[in-house]
């Protein structure tokens, strides 16, 4: 064995990539050199330890714990940006409808829209027609919508507060 | 990959059982990274949970540009880095120099022959891994336990493949040196 022994990098190359990663000359040296073979054996034993390493145990109810936290932290839904402001608007309108007499304002607003669009009462009529067809009163629909919205907002607020994160749309 | 995609689509559709399945599939990988990076045992479980909560929330934004395992690994790695930063524990020791010499980490008591008693080789090896620089620990673990390629590890840690390889080689060399300095090779490598 006139040739120099393999170095640490070469032992590792051999164990990671096999004989061909060493090249013929080095591979032949390894075949015939007891000293290098001993060192390869030590590296191989260490590799075995690394591959069988243990002690990473998470708790038995790990998945359940994550699920609990996930339920408290709903997945970000891009639609929330539309749904919640829209919901808030409906809630405000509902409240105003019930507590403030705005018929005059709405009447004027209605006239303005009609005159702008020139559609007269086509939209309003078809909407009313639909509601009548379903046997529902417009005020009832508004009230139900408002309550749903209020509930959604409260629920949202409750969870965001409990998580200690941003107030809305977190 | 297709299986992963199907699983993620089920989760996005609101199937909670699918996310439990997802956790079961990747909790090993997450625990490997968290345990290797975080010394404080009390925080590991909580951090691992946070990793999955973060994954759940970011799931809709995942574009399948990388393997799911690489993405999960990256979330875990960066969550840990974040934690270490907050705790002011540097993970990035200066690895630019040549191999560190065998340091004076307090080791086990020595026998008359100058070597320490080997009781549980696995425990000794684990202890020595814990003494390696943070990035070395993660790379050794991802390579040997999770059978990841240099490219995948590089993607997780945002390191070039060549750096991953050279860190891996230096880590194993250092680990072997330190172990052999403390224990008789023939007992250690039985
Ligand atoms: Zn040799």
């Amino acid at each position: 064995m006139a040739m120099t022994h393999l170095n640490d990098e070469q032992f590792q190359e051999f164990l990671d990539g096999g004989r061909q990663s060493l090249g013929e000359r080095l591979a032949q040296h390894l075949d015939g050199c007891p000293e290098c073979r001993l060192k390869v054996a030590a590296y191989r034993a260490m590799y075995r330890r690394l591959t069988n390493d243990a002690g990473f145990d998470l708790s038995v109810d790990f998945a359940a714990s994550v699920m609990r936290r996930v339920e408290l932290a709903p997945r970000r839904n891009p639609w929330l940006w539309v749904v919640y402001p829209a919901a808030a608007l409906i809630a405000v309108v509902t409240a105003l409808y019930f507590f403030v007499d705005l018929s005059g304002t709405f009447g004027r607003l209605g006239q303005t829209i009609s005159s702008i669009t020139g559609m007269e009462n086509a939209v309003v009529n078809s909407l009313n027609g639909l509601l009548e067809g379903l046997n529902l009163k417009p005020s009832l629909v508004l009230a139900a919508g408002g309550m749903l919205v209020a509930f959604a907002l409260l629920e949202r607020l409750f969870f965001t507060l409990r998580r200690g994160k941003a107030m809305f749309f977190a | 990959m297709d299986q992963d995609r199907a699983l993620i689509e089920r989760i996005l559709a609101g199937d909670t059982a699918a996310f439990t399945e997802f956790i079961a599939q990747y909790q090993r990988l997450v625990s490997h990274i968290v345990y290797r990076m975080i010394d404080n045992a009390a925080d590991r479980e909580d951090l691992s949970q946070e990793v999955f909560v973060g994954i759940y929330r970011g799931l809709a934004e995942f574009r399948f540009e990388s393997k799911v395992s690489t993405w999960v690994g990256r979330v875990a790695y960066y969550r840990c880095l974040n934690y270490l930063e907050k705790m002011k524990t540097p993970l990035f020791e200066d690895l630019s120099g040549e191999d560190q010499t065998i340091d004076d980490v307090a080791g086990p008591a020595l026998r008359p022959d100058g070597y320490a008693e080997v009781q549980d080789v696995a425990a000794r090896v684990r202890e020595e891994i814990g003494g390696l620089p943070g990035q070395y620990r993660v790379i050794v673990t991802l390579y040997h336990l999770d059978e990841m390629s240099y490219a995948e590890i590089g993607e997780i840690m945002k390191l070039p493949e060549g750096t991953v390889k050279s860190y891996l080689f230096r880590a194993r060399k250092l680990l072997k040196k330190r172990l052999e300095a403390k224990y008789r090779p023939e007992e250690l490598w039985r």
Side-chain angles (χ1 to χ4, degrees):
Chain A
M1 284 304 122
M3 204 183 142
T4 50
H5 296 300
L6 274 64
N7 62 31
D8 282 276
E9 281 66 41
Q10 288 160 338
F11 290 132
Q12 296 186 45
E13 287 283 7
F14 171 69
L15 287 172
D16 284 341
R19 267 182 84 88
Q20 67 271 23
S21 59
L22 277 188
E24 198 44 41
R25 252 162 33 100
L26 285 171
Q28 269 178 15
H29 171 92
L30 185 62
D31 287 339
C33 176
E35 216 173 302
C36 281
R37 297 191 65 78
L38 204 65
K39 283 189 179 162
V40 164
Y43 259 115
R44 187 177 282 123
M46 189 178 80
Y47 272 42
R48 211 166 40 237
R49 297 283 173 201
L50 294 176
T51 313
N52 296 324
D53 200 3
F56 300 94
D57 303 317
L58 295 165
S59 64
V60 238
D61 62 345
F62 177 77
S65 307
V66 174
M67 293 312 289
R68 269 196 301 277
R69 289 174 76 158
V70 157
E71 277 156 25
L72 291 180
R75 195 175 50 246
R76 251 172 293 157
N77 182 343
W79 280 104
L80 288 182
W81 286 101
V82 181
V83 172
Y84 281 101
L89 192 71
I90 295 171
V92 170
V93 171
T94 311
L96 290 176
Y97 181 87
F98 278 106
F99 297 110
V100 186
D101 181 18
L102 288 173
S103 52
T105 314
F106 278 129
R108 260 176 279 129
L109 194 70
Q111 279 167 9
T112 315
I113 292 172
S114 297
S115 62
I116 289 171
T117 56
M119 284 162 74
E120 296 300 323
N121 286 323
V123 177
V124 177
N125 284 341
S126 61
L127 203 66
N128 279 335
L130 181 73
L131 292 173
E132 271 163 31
L134 292 169
N135 223 349
L136 289 170
K137 279 187 185 143
S139 60
L140 205 68
V141 173
L142 268 179
M147 272 156 77
L148 259 172
V149 160
F151 174 77
L153 281 172
L154 278 175
E155 176 254 47
R156 186 83 195 152
L157 189 66
F158 174 71
F159 281 127
T160 45
L161 282 180
R162 269 189 63 170
R163 277 165 50 216
K165 296 267 167 69
M167 285 286 279
F168 291 104
F169 317 122
Chain B
M1 195 69 184
D2 283 343
Q3 276 179 331
D4 278 334
R5 194 184 277 269
L7 185 61
I8 288 178
E9 272 161 15
R10 275 171 56 207
I11 300 168
L12 289 174
D15 181 348
T16 34
F19 193 56
T20 311
E21 221 174 284
F22 184 95
I23 295 170
Q25 203 167 321
Y26 293 105
Q27 75 174 60
R28 228 176 81 88
L29 170 63
V30 169
S31 72
H32 289 162
I33 294 172
V34 171
Y35 275 60
R36 276 291 178 258
M37 291 176 73
I38 309 299
D39 291 329
N40 184 358
D43 288 342
R44 288 167 173 170
E45 171 91 11
D46 193 53
L47 263 174
S48 304
Q49 287 180 17
E50 275 179 29
V51 169
F52 280 105
V53 173
I55 284 168
Y56 183 80
R57 291 211 241 157
L59 215 49
E61 278 108 71
F62 182 59
R63 291 285 163 262
F64 293 94
E65 278 151 1
S66 61
K67 283 170 81 172
V68 177
S69 54
T70 333
W71 175 57
V72 169
R74 196 165 46 224
V75 174
Y77 182 70
Y78 278 92
R79 182 66 197 85
C80 289
L81 280 188
N82 217 298
Y83 167 92
L84 293 173
E85 205 173 283
K86 240 184 250 162
M87 297 286 145
K88 307 212 184 312
T89 318
L91 178 76
F92 296 106
E93 284 123 284
D94 184 16
L95 303 176
S96 55
E98 254 313 283
D99 291 338
Q100 287 101 326
T101 46
I102 297 146
D103 57 21
D104 48 4
V105 174
L110 300 185
R111 297 187 307 210
D113 63 4
Y115 288 107
E117 202 78 58
V118 182
Q119 262 134 13
D120 177 1
V121 181
R124 294 287 93 85
V125 173
R126 207 170 302 143
E127 191 183 294
E128 284 305 325
I129 294 173
L132 293 174
Q135 281 170 299
Y136 286 8
R137 281 183 257 160
V138 176
I139 291 174
V140 161
T141 306
L142 290 178
Y143 186 84
H144 284 279
L145 274 183
D146 300 293
E147 294 173 350
M148 285 190 168
S149 66
Y150 300 145
E152 288 167 335
I153 298 171
E155 226 181 289
I156 290 177
M157 302 175 73
K158 292 196 183 140
L159 289 174
E161 274 184 54
T163 309
V164 172
K165 184 179 177 182
S166 92
Y167 282 5
L168 176 67
F169 275 52
R170 276 152 66 174
R172 291 187 297 214
K173 184 179 171 184
L174 188 61
L175 185 63
K176 186 164 168 288
K177 247 189 186 171
R178 286 183 177 177
L179 282 163
E180 287 178 346
K182 284 185 193 165
Y183 306 102
R184 281 177 161 284
E186 58 272 27
E187 288 179 44
L188 198 53
W189 306 130
R190 276 182 299 215

